[in-house]
Amino acid sequence: MTQILSGLVVAETRRAKLVEKVQSFISKSNRPPGLAVVLVGADPASQVYVRNKIKACEHVGIVSTHHRLPDTISQDELHTVIDTLNADSAVDGILVQLPLPKGLSETLATERILPSKDPDGLTSGNLGLLFAGRTRVAPCTPLGVMKIFEHYKIEVEGKSAVVVGRSNIVGKPMAQLLLEANATVTVAHSKTFDLKSVTSQADIVVVAAGRPQFMGKEFFKSGSIIADVGIHRLPDGAAGGGPNGKSKLCGDVLTSELMNHAQAITPVPGGVGPMTIQMLLENTLRLAELRA
Ligand code: NDP
């Protein structure tokens, strides 16, 4: 029987503890931790993400401020907003919601955030610390995967782990976190010859390729642990799509084929996704504590 690694359950468990930690921070520091969320333009998906993040902050006692900027804003004007937040002592974390509208550089905007106020862990300062083994905060999604493994007591040390994908947001930091946990790590990507032969040897596979349901049973050895980071909307009519014109979420892995084959797997939805927001909140508190 394949075990379902529920990120919803892990996030909920950790959220209850986080509420206490935030309260303890408030009594020691006489102020709540603060997260500033910057949204440029009106991308509907980004609006939903931002709303969810603000709601999650409220739930645990982190004060969030929302900075809505028009998509006509220039790079310099965006930097001025970030600089103001960098200098604001009530702000512990700054999140610039990606993607940015065309014409704005995400790299420049991200790098403008002080690493000490970067709860996503995506500035080169924070990624550098992670790869040097002196982590300040690790990127939220891969950190969330590690916390799921920790919660379900999935042993990582000594195991062979393959990460599919090498983005700065997920793949590379994921590989580093697994390495730190003493796994033997391989990183696969779009230029990997014969992906199947690589992943089917692994004890642990983390998939973050951004391709809907492209990995079925033949990619995994029996008894493997799978973390599916991908998230996609399947339209009605597509295999696995929702009925009555409703879209349905799926990951990069064809989960239905893995039941009774994998030892454990994260579902989509309800797997890695909820952990990403939880890690954002935990990283914000960590930055607030470091600043205090
Ligand atoms: P990117 O597009 O930045 O990176 C995708 C990576 O996958 C690249 O390194 C690419 O290789 C590799 N890749 C693409 N196709 C293949 C293939 N056929 N075989 C092997 N490797 C392949 O995506 P992200 O890392 O930002 O995100 C990955 C997925 O995770 C997306 O579906 C995204 O929506 C999801 N996501 C989910 C989050 C959550 O909270 N659940 C948070 C963040 C992302 P190459 O480098 O050679 O191009």
Side-chain angles (χ1 to χ4, degrees):
M1 189 64 171
T2 300
Q3 183 184 20
I4 300 296
L5 306 175
S6 168
L8 276 175
V9 168
V10 183
E12 214 165 279
T13 309
R14 296 185 70 92
R15 201 161 303 148
K17 289 186 191 142
L18 184 60
V19 169
E20 286 170 22
K21 287 182 190 167
V22 168
Q23 283 315 314
S24 149
F25 175 85
I26 293 171
S27 18
K28 271 190 244 152
S29 310
N30 291 318
R31 69 170 184 93
L35 176 70
V37 182
V38 179
L39 175 64
V40 186
D43 176 58
S46 293
Q47 285 179 344
V48 173
Y49 290 138
V50 164
R51 244 197 332 267
N52 288 344
K53 285 168 186 173
I54 289 172
K55 221 158 71 187
C57 279
E58 281 168 9
H59 189 83
V60 299
I62 293 174
V63 167
S64 64
T65 52
H66 187 180
H67 304 266
R68 270 169 169 274
L69 307 172
D71 57 9
T72 50
I73 197 168
S74 69
Q75 189 84 37
D76 282 347
E77 286 166 333
L78 174 57
H79 289 181
T80 303
V81 172
I82 296 170
D83 290 347
T84 306
L85 297 170
N86 278 336
D88 185 339
S89 61
V91 172
D92 298 293
I94 303 165
L95 185 153
V96 176
Q97 183 64 44
L98 303 181
L100 290 175
K102 271 207 179 88
L104 292 174
S105 160
E106 296 183 356
T107 307
L108 290 178
T110 301
E111 287 298 325
R112 197 75 182 192
I113 299 169
L114 283 176
S116 57
K117 290 194 172 192
D118 162 33
D120 274 331
L122 295 176
T123 54
S124 52
N126 282 333
L127 286 173
L129 286 174
L130 171 73
F131 282 85
R134 293 185 284 121
T135 307
R136 183 190 277 128
V137 286
C140 301
T141 302
L143 184 59
V145 172
M146 295 307 287
K147 297 300 180 191
I148 291 177
F149 290 161
E150 193 181 298
H151 178 95
Y152 286 100
K153 302 194 175 12
I154 305 274
E155 192 64 59
V156 172
E157 184 162 316
K159 299 274 176 66
S160 62
V162 173
V163 179
V164 184
R166 56 175 167 179
S167 68
N168 287 338
I169 295 181
V170 189
K172 283 186 213 159
M174 185 74 248
Q176 180 60 23
L177 290 174
L178 287 163
L179 188 61
E180 254 177 32
N182 296 321
T184 302
V185 184
T186 303
V187 180
H189 44 77
S190 70
K191 305 290 186 288
T192 298
F193 288 128
D194 198 359
L195 179 65
K196 211 178 294 175
S197 73
V198 177
T199 54
S200 61
Q201 302 295 316
D203 301 313
I204 297 172
V205 185
V206 180
V207 189
R211 303 200 165 244
Q213 298 185 321
F214 88 114
M215 290 176 77
K217 189 176 175 177
E218 70 278 14
F219 281 85
F220 304 95
K221 78 173 179 188
S222 169
S224 53
I225 312 287
I226 304 165
D228 187 359
V229 177
I231 184 146
H232 315 276
R233 255 178 211 290
L234 281 178
D236 184 29
N244 310 322
K246 284 191 184 140
S247 59
K248 194 179 156 191
L249 292 177
C250 74
D252 287 359
V253 176
L254 194 47
T255 311
S256 57
E257 286 193 2
L258 274 304
M259 291 300 142
N260 301 320
H261 180 72
Q263 181 189 316
I265 187 166
T266 61
V268 179
V272 178
M275 289 302 290
T276 299
I277 290 191
Q278 176 63 21
M279 291 302 108
L280 173 73
L281 303 179
E282 292 189 24
N283 280 351
T284 301
L285 176 63
R286 178 166 162 76
L287 293 179
E289 286 171 345
L290 288 173
R291 285 183 63 235

